Amino acid sequence: RSSAASDVYKRQVESEYILNTSTHKFHRPDCAGVKDMKEKNKKPYKGKRSKLLEDGYSPCKSCNP
């Protein structure tokens, strides 16, 4: 699968992410940044990546979800 195709696929399927409600970034659950996050800012999310982008969240630059 090409990179463009996999990007489209990622946006259309439901995935699990960890949201940082303070910085409005989203991470893969295994991202190193998640362990540095304050508990009060962590919010588990299961859904479409495109919905997070619509809601104003941006992807973490480290784990690139």
Side-chain angles (χ1 to χ4, degrees):
R1 194 183 319 195
S2 76
S3 179
S6 67
D7 284 349
V8 168
Y9 178 76
K10 266 199 289 195
R11 283 193 291 273
Q12 292 176 345
V13 298
E14 289 200 352
S15 298
E16 290 187 31
Y17 300 106
I18 304 296
L19 309 183
N20 185 325
T21 58
S22 175
T23 63
H24 285 83
K25 300 265 187 220
F26 63 97
H27 306 260
R28 291 186 179 155
D30 59 353
C31 176
V34 171
K35 73 175 188 302
D36 296 333
M37 209 183 290
K38 290 181 179 169
E39 282 301 319
K40 68 177 185 171
N41 297 333
K42 286 184 193 177
K43 182 178 176 186
Y45 170 85
K46 183 174 175 120
K48 295 183 179 175
R49 184 181 191 272
S50 57
K51 175 76 171 112
L52 288 174
L53 296 172
E54 286 171 21
D55 290 349
Y57 280 85
S58 52
C60 168
K61 300 262 191 275
S62 299
C63 65
N64 214 5

